[in-house]
Amino acid sequence: MQMNIAVFCSANADIDPRFYEATAALGRWCAEKGHTVIFGGTNLGLMECVAKAAHEAGGRVVGVVPKFVEEGGKESAFMDDVHHCENLSDRKDTLNTLCDVAVALPGGVGTLDEVFTLVAANTVGYRRQRIILYNMEGFWDTLVALLNNLERQGMIRGNYRNRISVVNNLDELEEEFLHLASLVSTKRN
């Protein structure tokens, strides 16, 4: 089953090169599987890396570009379709509306904001998309520990694992996608 995948990730350049290698592999994998990559539209960091890899592998890439990115000349050249928006809030809303699933790669405050905006909307029933933390090199280990602690203390409604999955490599990501496809298929029948 082909999916529209929102990719949340860093726009910083000076980060672990292993993140770039794994991100490029993800972009190629998306293209090979026929998935569409939807991202924040910038020509920086892991955002540009995933877009370029998917585009060069023949995949479809959709960018959601805030006005300040466009005006600042930071718009990626590797987009097949572009949705322009006013600001970061509009970008999050558009990313979440367009995607079937979201994959969070290493990132900072902006990535966390994107992840938790979608998780919160999911928790109250406004959204239904699954969030997958792609745990490259253990990047999300401390966040998973925090989520476990919040759950133990009763601060999370229900089991967060019903909304957030953690995968460590492309094989696990593919298994998760097969699981999600079977859930969608079951709901349709």
Side-chain angles (χ1 to χ4, degrees):
M1 178 177 177
Q2 297 174 335
M3 294 198 196
N4 295 321
I5 304 169
V7 178
F8 304 150
C9 59
S10 177
N12 291 339
D14 192 20
I15 58 177
D16 191 326
R18 296 175 298 178
F19 296 155
Y20 281 97
E21 293 167 18
T23 297
L26 172 66
R28 290 188 296 273
W29 177 85
C30 288
E32 290 164 7
K33 300 296 180 181
H35 301 304
T36 298
V37 170
I38 306 168
F39 79 118
T42 72
N43 62 4
L44 303 167
L46 297 181
M47 282 196 209
E48 179 78 337
C49 180
V50 72
K52 180 179 181 185
H55 182 80
E56 289 180 349
R60 183 165 183 265
V61 178
V62 176
V64 182
V65 181
K67 188 181 283 185
F68 72 89
V69 170
E70 181 183 9
E71 291 171 352
K74 303 283 188 212
E75 193 169 336
S76 176
F78 298 104
M79 297 182 287
D80 300 298
D81 190 17
V82 181
H83 294 261
H84 289 99
C85 58
E86 285 297 312
N87 54 47
L88 292 175
S89 294
D90 292 340
R91 178 164 76 179
K92 284 186 301 186
D93 288 342
T94 303
L95 285 165
N96 293 341
T97 298
L98 294 175
C99 78
D100 299 313
V101 63
V103 175
L105 308 182
V109 172
T111 302
L112 289 171
D113 181 40
E114 290 167 333
V115 165
F116 285 112
T117 295
L118 188 52
V119 171
N122 192 310
T123 300
V124 297
Y126 183 67
R127 298 264 180 221
R128 297 277 184 250
Q129 296 95 326
R130 185 88 157 162
I131 298 92
I132 300 171
L133 301 176
Y134 192 159
N135 197 27
M136 299 172 178
E137 305 297 328
F139 183 83
W140 294 115
D141 287 350
T142 53
L143 179 61
V144 171
L146 174 62
L147 290 168
N148 290 336
N149 184 49
L150 290 170
E151 186 176 66
R152 270 192 306 277
Q153 295 189 49
M155 298 296 172
I156 294 178
R157 186 177 301 136
N159 182 347
Y160 78 83
R161 291 163 206 83
N162 293 332
R163 297 172 189 89
I164 303 172
S165 300
V166 181
V167 302
N168 297 296
N169 54 54
L170 281 178
D171 290 336
E172 291 179 11
L173 182 65
E174 185 151 13
E175 286 178 30
E176 182 66 19
F177 271 59
L178 290 172
H179 174 72
L180 292 173
S182 71
L183 292 176
V184 169
S185 175
T186 303
K187 286 180 183 176
R188 287 184 181 164
N189 293 332

